[in-house]
Amino acid sequence: MRVFVLTGAGVSAESGIPTFRGKDGYWRNLDPTKLATPEAFARDPQLVWDWYRERRQRIRTAQPNAAHEAVARLAQQTDEFLLVTQNVDDLHARAGVAAEKMVQIHGDIFITRCSRCDFSYGGRGGSPEPPGACVVQPTNRRLRSIATTSERDLNVPTCPKCQALMRPDVVWFGEQLSRNELERVEDFLDGGACDLVIVAGTTATFGYIIDWTLRASQDGAHLIEVNPEETPLSRFATRLVREPAAIALPRIVDELRNSGAL
Ligand SMILES: [Zn+2]
């Protein structure tokens, strides 16, 4: 079995990680699609860092759900497997998908890198934030404004090599995908026809997600879409599952195993 899986925000939403779209994604009344941009970072790096620190903290306390675990079982039971996830959290990794079987195409929120040179630090799981970096949320409004002021002084990391601002190693709107990660996806797709393609928890907004799915399934692969709503990929799917990923994926992986496919 040669298996290609793509996942998106819907998979992590079931672990309590807010998606960018919809009212749950809003933070301090700000639209995440406008915060996750190079322009927002240039204008107010502290604001963008505050938001990412909160997201990191939320991810640390979140747990992989049944969808992450099902993908990990599939990865472990398949010789040729690649997961491409649009999620920058570490929940797939914590569920047990090995790094060499996964591409985080939009980056890794726990890596901090220089905005100018190649210096970076951090890694999967993330080290604890530096002192003062955890977002303080006093209930009293006056205290909250004081806490915000002190955070603003403390928490704009700079590069020890070149003094430029450090940033999260994620792909922002309007930025190029990492060439290295792109090559890993291309290499897998060039490596042979897939038997099974699963697309889960993504609205397939990005053209490259659609392209890769269609390339992987062009030679007659079974294409399963797991998403509560229709997407641009729905009409190509050989099976549509209109359920949350945490419900559908464990069942699908069980079916594969029971049918002897794994
Ligand atoms: Zn630097």
Side-chain angles (χ1 to χ4, degrees):
M1 281 278 278
R2 191 170 166 80
V3 179
F4 186 59
V5 177
L6 294 114
T7 64
V11 169
S12 290
E14 292 166 63
S15 288
I17 311 298
T19 63
F20 276 21
R21 294 173 181 83
K23 62 177 170 52
D24 291 348
Y26 270 66
W27 175 78
R28 296 186 191 172
N29 272 333
L30 298 168
D31 178 353
T33 61
K34 297 196 172 75
L35 280 171
T37 64
E39 293 78 19
F41 187 68
R43 193 167 54 239
D44 194 343
Q46 183 61 66
L47 180 73
V48 173
W49 262 116
D50 285 351
W51 179 54
Y52 275 101
R53 286 197 173 102
E54 262 191 55
R55 284 187 74 83
R56 282 179 173 182
Q57 193 53 34
R58 188 183 283 243
I59 291 163
R60 281 197 192 91
T61 56
Q63 297 301 323
N65 63 52
H68 297 105
E69 284 158 10
V71 172
R73 274 194 289 146
L74 192 55
Q76 288 156 9
Q77 291 166 18
T78 313
D79 292 334
E80 293 186 71
F81 178 96
L82 189 70
L83 165 66
V84 173
T85 183
Q86 299 166 78
N87 301 335
V88 299
D89 61 59
D90 61 353
L91 296 177
H92 278 302
R94 280 202 267 144
V97 180
E100 66 271 16
K101 289 190 168 186
M102 170 169 60
V103 171
Q104 285 187 281
I105 199 64
H106 291 166
D108 179 342
I109 195 171
F110 289 113
I111 295 177
T112 299
R113 72 167 169 89
C114 180
S115 56
R116 184 191 295 153
C117 75
D118 62 0
F119 181 78
S120 70
Y121 59 80
R124 195 155 308 292
S127 55
E129 299 293 333
C134 292
V135 175
V136 183
Q137 291 186 313
T139 48
N140 178 298
R141 185 174 293 174
R142 193 178 64 82
L143 284 178
R144 184 183 296 156
S145 71
I146 292 168
T148 304
T149 307
S150 63
E151 280 166 40
R152 295 184 82 86
D153 296 337
L154 279 171
N155 294 321
V156 185
T158 52
C159 176
K161 279 170 76 179
C162 78
Q163 276 70 55
L165 293 181
M166 300 292 284
R167 55 169 282 180
D169 191 13
V170 296
V171 179
W172 283 330
F173 290 100
E175 292 189 313
Q176 302 282 321
L177 300 176
S178 150
R179 184 178 302 238
N180 194 38
E181 299 307 285
L182 270 177
E183 276 175 11
R184 292 182 60 211
V185 181
E186 296 289 330
D187 285 350
F188 183 84
L189 294 177
D190 288 343
C194 295
D195 303 294
L196 172 65
V197 181
I198 300 176
V199 185
T202 174
T203 51
T205 319
F206 297 106
Y208 43 87
I209 298 298
I210 297 171
D211 289 346
W212 291 335
T213 305
L214 296 183
R215 262 179 70 191
S217 55
Q218 67 188 355
D219 291 322
H222 193 35
L223 171 57
I224 304 176
E225 178 179 80
V226 178
N227 204 55
E229 286 133 41
E230 185 167 336
T231 81
L233 288 169
S234 299
R235 66 194 178 96
F236 300 104
T238 52
R239 179 175 171 192
L240 294 169
V241 185
R242 295 275 175 253
E243 284 176 322
I247 293 173
L249 283 177
R251 193 178 63 230
I252 290 168
V253 174
D254 282 346
E255 284 170 11
L256 287 166
R257 199 176 44 206
N258 293 340
S259 72
L262 295 179

